[in-house]
Amino acid sequence: MKLDTLKVCVIGAGIGGLAVARALALRGADVSVLEQAPEISEVGAGLQISPNGFAVLRALGLDAALRARAVQAEAVCLRDYRRGEVLRLDLGALDSQDYYFIHRADLIEVLAEGAREAGARIRLLQKVSSVEGGAQPRIHLASGAQTEADLVIGADGLHSVVRPVLNGISTPFFTRQVAWRATVPNLWDRGPEVQVHMGPMRHVVSYPLRGGALLNLVAVQERAAWTEESWSQRDDPVALRAAFGDFSADLRAMLDAVEEVHLWGLFRHPVAKVWQRDGLALLGDAAHPTLPFMAQGASMALEDAWVLADALRDEASREAALDRYQARREGRAARVVDAASRNAWKYHLSFPPLRWAAHTALRAGGALAPDRMMRRFDWLYGHDVTRAA
């Protein structure tokens, strides 16, 4: 398509929305990003950018800006909740060592600067109430105003206003798991590695941010009590510490440093069956919300952004481009979502003999064939959408 005549409205100034805004603006499109918040900010703390996501940032020309704000990861360390290290995986064994930890707000800042630099306009306080597809899709704002575009991209997350228009209302189910998220000062001089403390029906992931000054903590617990699906919901740090009170002293010391914590329920959502129609398209969590057990939410949104922009540039019509976008993305997204959904139980083994056997197997695999263990992730980390046909 001739993108210099294409008017695009992106709903949502999150990771996927800002990335696709830069990708399309660099290709000549007229891009506006509509964000309901009064400022571009993110609730949350750290996230991981694996090599497949970093490939997109490099192709967008944002690799240097990302590196300046991120910590380059060197290893993943799995630890028993009481007995210490089980397995250490060297990320240097990956074909690409571009695996990073970054504060979510810092990544949003990199992407927002990149979108504006490319010519995209970011409009704040623009709450979208509904959308209509068609030859000229229309957006209705809560203020009563309306705007039209040639393409409307719903990068508006779990509570997307675009997804129901394409797929109807779907009801996610509570996985009987909740997660706490917090950051604490790195008082223990933790190096550039992910640590996963694994215990019965619980685990805690931690890694450094902002030059190693902070530690990001994500703690997951299986429980029947329902919790709202919202990153902005606060909880008492005492409840977090109580949930992991039988873990090792090093983990309890990190939790003792928590002063402010957020809690959210983990829900399983289906991958959207319809990603695009009538000039509307879904991107990121609006299309394929994923549980956090593969650390792929940000990287998958970045992949979507690149593929959508590529398809619009390469195909002759909007309809052909959107068809190609969904064809390239839906199978991969479904595989990642399924892998993340199946991953938590590996950390949460409750039956002591089974946990001992599983940890013994991990130790043996790490000692005898560490490279083979890393090769299991080639399908994920080695996938580069910027080079794919």
Side-chain angles (χ1 to χ4, degrees):
M1 291 179 62
K2 199 174 181 182
L3 293 191
D4 59 3
T5 62
L6 187 73
K7 181 179 179 182
V8 181
C9 275
V10 180
I11 304 174
I15 293 167
L18 293 170
V20 79
R22 177 170 171 86
L24 287 170
L26 287 172
R27 290 163 172 79
D30 178 358
V31 184
S32 295
V33 181
L34 307 182
E35 170 56 45
Q36 65 179 348
E39 59 182 355
I40 297 180
S41 62
E42 275 287 342
V43 175
L47 53 81
Q48 301 176 45
I49 300 293
S50 51
N52 51 304
F54 186 79
V56 175
L57 294 169
R58 182 192 299 114
L60 290 174
L62 300 176
D63 48 325
L66 185 284
R67 285 192 177 104
R69 293 169 170 84
V71 173
Q72 187 168 14
E74 294 182 2
V76 176
C77 180
L78 303 183
R79 302 178 66 86
D80 180 82
Y81 77 119
R82 286 179 173 171
R83 296 182 176 86
E85 186 169 297
V86 174
L87 174 66
R88 183 181 179 85
L89 294 174
D90 178 11
L91 294 174
L94 296 173
D95 291 335
S96 169
Q97 281 77 60
D98 286 315
Y99 198 121
Y100 294 91
F101 310 137
I102 188 168
H103 198 289
R104 185 179 294 269
D106 295 340
L107 178 59
I108 290 292
E109 183 179 348
V110 167
L111 291 167
E113 290 175 356
R116 290 189 177 106
E117 178 188 56
R121 297 175 299 280
I122 301 173
R123 298 171 55 195
L124 304 175
L125 292 170
Q126 304 294 307
K127 182 174 176 58
V128 176
S129 57
S130 63
V131 298
E132 301 172 38
Q136 201 75 15
R138 180 173 298 173
I139 296 172
H140 299 267
L141 299 173
S143 64
Q146 299 180 17
T147 187
E148 292 185 344
D150 301 309
L151 173 65
V152 172
I153 300 172
D156 46 348
L158 290 172
H159 307 295
S160 172
V161 298
V162 181
R163 177 171 172 141
V165 176
L166 298 175
N167 293 273
I169 302 296
S170 62
T171 303
F173 69 86
F174 181 46
T175 64
R176 293 179 175 265
Q177 298 179 90
V178 298
W180 289 270
R181 181 185 294 268
T183 59
V184 299
N186 185 4
L187 304 175
W188 308 272
D189 197 26
R190 277 273 304 278
E193 67 178 25
V194 183
Q195 287 190 6
V196 184
H197 286 73
M198 306 176 294
M201 302 176 68
R202 293 155 295 163
H203 76 275
V204 180
V205 178
S206 59
Y207 51 85
L209 299 172
R210 291 184 168 165
L214 298 177
L215 283 181
N216 187 68
L217 303 177
V218 179
V220 176
Q221 179 191 39
E222 296 180 24
R223 72 185 193 192
W226 181 86
T227 301
E228 184 181 356
E229 188 177 30
S230 171
W231 282 13
S232 61
Q233 179 175 268
R234 292 176 182 262
D235 196 29
D236 189 334
V238 172
L240 168 62
R241 289 190 274 271
F244 295 87
D246 58 341
F247 273 53
S248 58
D250 63 320
L251 189 279
R252 295 199 312 272
M254 287 188 279
L255 299 185
D256 284 344
V258 173
E259 296 182 355
E260 181 179 302
V261 66
H262 291 82
L263 173 70
W264 80 102
L266 300 180
F267 287 72
R268 176 73 188 267
H269 296 254
V271 174
K273 291 184 178 180
V274 180
W275 290 42
Q276 51 76 30
R277 187 177 60 230
D278 296 333
L280 305 177
L282 301 174
L283 186 150
D285 280 351
H288 47 76
T290 180
L291 294 171
F293 305 131
M294 294 289 285
Q296 282 296 300
S299 290
M300 291 295 288
L302 292 168
E303 286 187 10
D304 287 351
W306 182 269
V307 173
L308 179 52
D310 241 16
L312 287 164
R313 180 195 62 188
D314 293 343
E315 295 294 332
S317 69
R318 182 185 73 180
E319 287 69 25
L322 295 182
D323 282 343
R324 182 181 178 189
Y325 165 60
Q326 180 167 351
R328 280 189 61 185
R329 294 302 298 157
E330 60 182 337
R332 170 140 171 104
R335 185 178 183 185
V336 171
V337 168
D338 184 59
S341 299
R342 289 186 283 106
N343 217 31
W345 74 269
K346 300 175 185 178
Y347 300 151
H348 292 185
L349 296 172
S350 298
F351 186 48
L354 179 59
R355 186 170 63 250
W356 177 87
H359 289 185
T360 299
L362 285 172
R363 287 189 183 95
L368 300 175
D371 289 348
R372 181 180 297 177
M373 296 194 77
M374 291 304 299
R375 293 275 79 81
R376 294 166 51 203
F377 299 101
D378 282 352
W379 69 272
L380 180 61
Y381 301 149
H383 189 82
D384 185 347
V385 296
T386 71
R387 298 180 180 178

